[in-house]
Amino acid sequence: MERTRLAFNILAVSGSAIYAGTMLAIGVILGAQWRSVFPSEFLDAFARDIQFISRAVAVTAIPTIVGIAGSLRLNWGHKPAWNFIAAQAACVGLLLLFTSLWFGPTNNLFLAKSLPMNEVAGRLDLWLLLHNIRVALAGLGSVFGALALAVRS
Amino acid sequence: MSILQFLAVLSASLFAGAALYINVAEHPARMMLETRLAALQWAPSYKRATWLQAPLAVLSFGAGTAVWLLGGATGWLLAASLIGAVVPFTLIVIMPTNNKLLATGRDLSSADTRSLLRRWGWLHAVRTGLSLAATGIYLPLLVA
């Protein structure tokens, strides 16, 4: 049981930190690339890139969610650790909520090319600015996860 | 000591996440483009990734080694060596491919350029593997 709990805790921390790295790379590498081209080229690139981004996000987000869910269940009797894991879950939950409420609809606008061309660059800037919040939430989540590990050891 | 441990783990994990993103998303998306466009996109993207990833690798290596020097288990040195190995691996193994891709006068539309880009993707996967292995070793050490 103890080994299983540890495995879930480690999965939660590593998943969350790796997820943060993926989000950071999207903002730094891809964001700069999107900004460097004309709006019409960006929209084509976005349509091409988004399927691969979704794959990368799924590869990192799913283990994180499984790790957090298992950690919450198996740390139930240890209040200090559980509180940190709950804080981590809140960070990831907020991130997912934010993604579905703002990024989902905005991504659909880009994919449908339904924004006026003169508004695309501004919306992309906002997308990248708000993306930093997702990076911060994922990073903060991994810090809480590491703190949960620390108080249990 | 705890701060060093945390720095080592966090920077290795961030590196691994960024490296994984490049292998799973960025490079496959790039390879869907016509070869010339893919090569043109690769060059600035590679530079940005270097600025993001090199400091993370060095930080993780330094922090992990420091933990070992301060009395940590040998595993800290092993994981630090794995993440640190991405730097010489890049300089010795990957750099010749980079230099060929960046060479003045290269025909960016050629089959050779495409083959080099494909090779670069495989070489980058080694860095991803090294960083994931380092993260996998570091984390259990946090609770040992």
Side-chain angles (χ1 to χ4, degrees):
Chain A
M1 191 60 140
E2 189 58 18
R3 275 173 173 257
T4 312
R5 181 191 63 75
L6 196 59
F8 274 113
N9 280 3
I10 286 174
L11 188 63
V13 179
S14 59
S16 191
I18 291 172
Y19 182 55
T22 296
M23 299 302 262
L24 187 64
I26 291 171
V28 173
I29 305 170
L30 195 59
Q33 185 188 308
W34 282 343
R35 266 189 171 138
S36 70
V37 296
F38 291 112
S40 59
E41 291 175 62
F42 154 69
L43 291 175
D44 289 338
F46 187 84
R48 186 186 61 243
D49 294 339
I50 196 72
Q51 53 183 312
F52 292 100
I53 295 172
S54 306
R55 205 162 71 178
V57 168
V59 163
T60 51
I62 291 169
T64 306
I65 293 165
V66 170
I68 291 173
S71 298
L72 279 171
R73 169 79 185 84
L74 297 172
N75 284 281
W76 182 249
H78 193 283
K79 194 77 177 158
W82 194 89
N83 286 342
F84 280 126
I85 297 162
Q88 182 184 17
C91 287
V92 175
L94 263 176
L95 192 161
L96 295 175
L97 190 69
F98 189 30
T99 298
S100 60
L101 291 180
W102 193 86
F103 284 89
T106 305
N107 290 354
N108 287 337
L109 284 176
F110 287 148
L111 286 171
K113 299 185 178 178
S114 54
L115 273 175
M117 210 47 91
N118 62 348
E119 289 179 22
V120 171
R123 187 62 70 99
L124 171 62
D125 284 345
L126 185 60
W127 193 103
L128 291 169
L129 184 71
L130 295 177
H131 179 74
N132 292 327
I133 297 173
R134 297 200 290 185
V135 177
L137 282 170
L140 193 61
S142 60
V143 172
F144 283 130
L147 288 170
L149 265 180
V151 296
R152 281 299 303 245
S153 58
Chain B
M1 181 96 147
S2 296
I3 291 172
L4 284 173
Q5 289 177 331
F6 184 70
L7 272 179
V9 176
L10 185 69
S11 44
S13 307
L14 287 173
F15 183 104
L20 197 63
Y21 154 78
I22 291 169
N23 270 127
V24 175
E26 190 187 83
H27 202 60
R30 179 185 297 132
M31 293 306 280
M32 282 180 72
L33 294 170
E34 181 233 313
T35 304
R36 185 175 169 279
L37 289 176
L40 284 173
Q41 194 209 65
W42 171 83
S45 171
Y46 179 76
K47 279 179 189 150
R48 285 182 210 115
T50 303
W51 283 110
L52 174 67
Q53 292 188 282
L56 289 172
V58 171
L59 182 63
S60 183
F61 170 73
T65 305
V67 171
W68 175 70
L69 286 172
L70 291 169
T74 315
W76 286 99
L77 181 64
L78 174 65
S81 303
L82 285 174
I83 190 73
V86 303
V87 176
F89 181 78
T90 301
L91 295 174
I92 297 164
V93 182
I94 303 186
M95 202 56 90
T97 302
N98 293 354
N99 290 339
K100 282 181 192 168
L101 280 166
L102 294 168
T104 317
R106 158 162 287 281
D107 178 4
L108 294 181
S109 306
S110 66
D112 184 50
T113 298
R114 187 145 205 98
S115 155
L116 282 171
L117 283 170
R118 203 171 291 123
R119 177 181 160 78
W120 184 88
W122 284 111
L123 292 174
H124 180 76
V126 174
R127 292 193 288 206
T128 306
L130 285 169
S131 58
L132 285 172
T135 305
I137 294 170
Y138 271 145
L139 275 163
L141 291 169
L142 269 184
V143 287

